[in-house]
Amino acid sequence: MTPLAAPSPRESRTGRSGPVWDVARVRADFPILQREIRGHPLVYLDSAATAQKPRQVIEAVSRYYETGNANVHRGVHALSQEATTEYERVRHLAARFFNAAEPSEIIYTAGTTASLNLVAQSYGGSVLQPGDEILISEMEHHSNIIPWHLVAERTGAVIRSIPVMESGGLDLAELEQRLGARTRIVAVTHASNVMGAINPINAIAAMAHEVGAVVVVDGAQSAPHLRVDLQAIDCDFFACSGHKLYGPTGIGLLYGKRALLDAMPPWQGGGGMIREVQIDRSSYAAPPERFEAGTPPIAEVVGLGAALDYVSGWDWEALVAYEQGLAAEATNALTGIPGLRIMGEGADRVSVLSFTLDGVHPHDAGTVLDTLGIAVRAGHHCAQPLMRRFGVTATLRASFGAYSTEAEVATLVEGLRQVRKVFG
Amino acid sequence: MSDLDELYQSVILDHNKSPRNFRKLADPSAHAEGRNPLCGDVYDVWVRLDGDVIQDVSFEGQGCAISKASASMMTQAIKGKTIAEARALFDRFHEVVTGTATGALPGKLEVFRGVRAFPIRVKCATLSWHAMKAALENA
């Protein structure tokens, strides 16, 4: 797969030198970008909800069903062996891509939400004692909040919050105050799905480890935008979704440090996660198989593999610089619109940003933008505590991916001027 | 008229900016809350009955232009109606905004016909109506 950066550094349109991101070439790989919406070209600014898929991923899934479909778990016949080989190849690929210490630390799940439920129920359920504390940041997505509520109810553990500052960053000084001998788990997002704000996981992990707590990271929004290095950030668990990383829906990953996974009881029981089964008792396989019960989403793993192959060929330095450029351009342009407020304006962010318009409900603005072919998300984005903290019930969210363009930023700005015209 | 113009006609924008009957009700016969967890729109609806006639109705809350204008026009439409008439109007309104009926709605409520081009906004238009129906059932 040839890298998409230019072979030698050149001035980008934003005036920075360095490898250039050839967005036109990337866009050519994504068939859906040809669509028209209500008579306008699609301007898809909702990649934080789900990313679009390149032809390579779509074709890999079809090809699997056309020529390679079989169940895994090391069956004796050729098709099953092929499927099993590919299933494990993708696990190795994911381990390399995210720099896990070994492939057995990568568990396939249905997505970030399933991954976080697995950690909460299996790890949390087995270590939490009454009065133990779980620290959850105020900017978490509900999927890194509710699983902890459920396990806290069961175990008698107590939830405490990590406050978010006006700038959009976590209050690390306050976090340090709240960490103590009773802290068992710190649940924190790597990048906010609402504001895009990036949290310093490495620093948070260091503080947590000092008191003997583990860090569970929601990586749904960081995996597509930052080249995540699990050794560098040193978290204990990391969850992400294939569909936000240009892969299929229905597949995600859970990374866990091997020593932690070894000590965790099974989550779901069934075929494939066993060692031996009697009618009245059973013993279980080692990780990762211990946590993969039943026939897995094999086609989705194949699609994820194609997505990882595809993005592994990217020059991530160029991509990150490009997306940062888009985010900066959008921030500047939006700041110029009267009555528009960006949430967490001061934060370092991935290319996701939320904002409100004085006097216009996000739903109404979103509908106006929809009629212009612009797809943004309006609502609380599954982050009610964060909405409450900033005194709003809903925001508009624009999120940019590898195929987003400066022209699309301009179209969004023009669309927001239209919104103002309709609502005064 | 474009889909957008049909949805955001001036009467809807007016009722959003200046909602009618936007207040608490003194001495209500019943109350219900309508909440849309997907977007955070939430309204309280109060009714006061005299026998089976809706003597007064009011609402408070926050939400998008469609939901607020709909609540405002709903209070105007059902004031002075009987419970049975209000229920029938609810069914009619629901049919029209979901595009499952072609007959006309009384008066200004006709402007909500445009919602059917934006199915995701149906819940906005019907939120306060569901609350009103629940309030009448509680009374």
Side-chain angles (χ1 to χ4, degrees):
Chain A
M1 178 87 210
T2 47
L4 289 161
S8 54
R10 254 191 299 170
E11 291 294 307
S12 74
R13 266 178 283 183
T14 51
R16 284 199 288 272
S17 58
V20 172
W21 185 251
D22 191 344
V23 71
R25 193 148 145 218
V26 174
R27 288 181 72 84
D29 284 338
F30 290 78
I32 203 169
L33 297 178
Q34 300 311 308
R35 263 207 69 165
E36 279 202 346
I37 303 294
R38 301 184 194 267
H40 297 271
L42 169 65
V43 174
Y44 187 74
L45 302 180
D46 201 21
S47 291
T50 197
Q52 299 303 343
K53 320 303 171 196
R55 201 178 311 274
Q56 290 86 334
V57 167
I58 300 166
E59 285 166 6
V61 176
S62 290
R63 213 167 32 243
Y64 164 77
Y65 280 126
E66 283 168 357
T67 65
N69 180 56
N71 209 329
V72 295
H73 300 140
R74 284 164 257 279
V76 143
H77 63 85
L79 277 180
S80 175
Q81 284 171 23
E82 271 178 32
T84 303
T85 300
E86 178 61 10
Y87 185 77
E88 293 305 326
R89 180 193 80 87
V90 176
R91 194 191 305 276
H92 280 70
L93 176 59
R96 274 197 316 274
F97 185 80
F98 290 109
N99 200 21
E102 47 180 278
S104 69
E105 292 181 323
I106 302 290
I107 299 165
Y108 291 127
T109 66
T112 304
T113 299
S115 297
L116 294 169
N117 275 278
L118 196 169
V119 180
Q121 288 170 35
S122 173
Y123 178 77
S126 63
V127 310
L128 290 169
Q129 299 298 316
D132 279 350
E133 294 180 356
I134 306 168
L135 263 59
I136 305 177
S137 102
E138 266 183 345
M139 69 167 81
E140 293 313 295
H141 184 286
H142 295 165
S143 293
N144 205 15
I145 300 179
I146 311 302
W148 304 111
H149 291 181
L150 295 175
V151 77
E153 273 169 60
R154 260 201 306 125
T155 60
V158 163
I159 309 286
R160 298 184 68 189
S161 68
I162 309 169
V164 171
M165 300 186 296
E166 198 63 30
S167 63
L170 283 179
D171 190 340
L172 296 177
E174 196 50 46
L175 167 61
E176 194 149 30
Q177 284 299 304
R178 297 182 189 196
L179 280 166
R182 301 245 47 185
T183 316
R184 292 273 69 78
I185 293 164
V186 177
V188 66
T189 183
H190 198 172
S192 163
N193 73 301
V194 176
M195 306 177 288
I198 302 168
N199 292 319
I201 300 299
N202 184 264
I204 293 168
M207 289 194 275
H209 292 159
E210 227 172 282
V211 302
V214 304
V215 179
V216 181
V217 175
D218 173 358
Q221 301 295 339
S222 63
H225 298 296
L226 308 171
R227 188 62 196 263
V228 174
D229 181 335
L230 291 167
Q231 302 311 311
I233 63 178
D234 195 30
C235 57
D236 301 280
F237 296 98
F238 182 91
C240 66
S241 295
H243 73 94
K244 296 204 209 277
L245 191 52
Y246 311 98
T249 53
I251 183 71
L253 300 174
L254 172 65
Y255 157 81
K257 287 182 176 170
R258 182 65 199 240
L260 295 171
L261 294 179
D262 279 340
M264 281 160 58
W267 179 43
Q268 295 183 331
M273 46 74 73
I274 55 96
R275 205 184 300 278
E276 198 194 337
V277 182
Q278 311 283 351
I279 196 61
D280 62 342
R281 65 196 180 281
S282 45
S283 59
Y284 310 112
E289 285 79 15
R290 184 187 301 169
F291 304 105
E292 294 178 3
T295 295
I298 307 164
E300 286 72 17
V301 167
V302 169
L304 176 65
L308 288 171
D309 286 332
Y310 182 74
V311 305
S312 293
W314 283 348
D315 179 336
W316 276 76
E317 210 186 298
L319 172 66
V320 172
Y322 179 73
E323 287 186 345
Q324 288 292 304
L326 286 181
E329 195 166 315
T331 305
N332 285 338
L334 292 179
T335 310
I337 295 175
L340 189 148
R341 263 183 268 245
I342 294 176
M343 183 184 278
E345 198 157 352
D348 266 344
R349 57 165 50 86
V350 298
S351 52
V352 173
L353 49 111
S354 276
F355 53 94
T356 52
L357 279 167
D358 287 346
V360 186
H361 193 281
H363 258 190
D364 297 311
T367 293
V368 173
L369 294 174
D370 176 46
T371 63
L372 301 170
I374 303 168
V376 292
R377 195 147 285 255
H380 56 57
H381 313 292
C382 299
Q384 285 188 19
L386 184 64
M387 295 293 125
R388 209 168 285 120
R389 186 256 172 259
F390 279 97
V392 298
T393 50
T395 70
L396 278 165
R397 180 187 70 186
S399 50
F400 306 95
Y403 37 65
S404 303
T405 66
E406 286 174 12
E408 290 179 317
V409 175
T411 305
L412 171 65
V413 172
E414 187 44 48
L416 290 169
R417 295 199 196 286
Q418 279 296 315
V419 170
R420 264 277 163 251
K421 262 202 212 132
V422 173
F423 290 95
Chain B
M1 213 192 313
S2 75
D3 279 347
L4 190 68
D5 290 335
E6 211 188 320
L7 181 63
Y8 287 111
Q9 292 179 53
S10 59
V11 62
I12 286 181
L13 296 174
D14 172 39
H15 276 259
N16 174 49
K17 273 223 160 84
S18 317
R20 312 334 187 223
N21 299 306
F22 191 70
R23 56 190 156 80
K24 282 188 174 58
L25 201 60
D27 200 22
S29 312
H31 156 265
E33 184 196 79
R35 177 185 291 268
N36 186 342
L38 290 180
C39 66
D41 289 356
V42 56
Y43 294 102
D44 288 291
V45 176
W46 296 273
V47 290
R48 190 164 60 232
L49 299 170
D50 182 10
D52 75 335
V53 172
I54 297 165
Q55 190 190 65
D56 203 357
V57 52
S58 71
F59 79 105
E60 274 194 345
Q62 54 175 331
C64 60
I66 300 297
S67 66
K68 191 174 283 182
S70 178
S72 173
M73 284 192 246
M74 182 267 296
T75 62
Q76 287 187 318
I78 68 166
K79 209 184 285 196
K81 298 268 190 309
T82 65
I83 294 175
E85 285 168 337
R87 285 220 186 102
L89 192 54
F90 168 91
D91 290 335
R92 198 97 187 94
F93 183 77
H94 197 268
E95 281 169 14
V96 169
V97 298
T98 53
T100 57
T102 47
L105 281 171
K108 281 181 290 191
L109 289 177
E110 253 305 299
V111 301
F112 286 99
R113 189 175 295 277
V115 173
R116 77 199 186 293
F118 299 89
I120 211 81
R121 306 301 302 279
V122 167
K123 280 207 154 77
C124 305
T126 59
L127 184 60
S128 60
W129 289 78
H130 281 284
M132 178 270 290
K133 184 164 177 241
L136 291 179
E137 275 155 21
N138 291 341

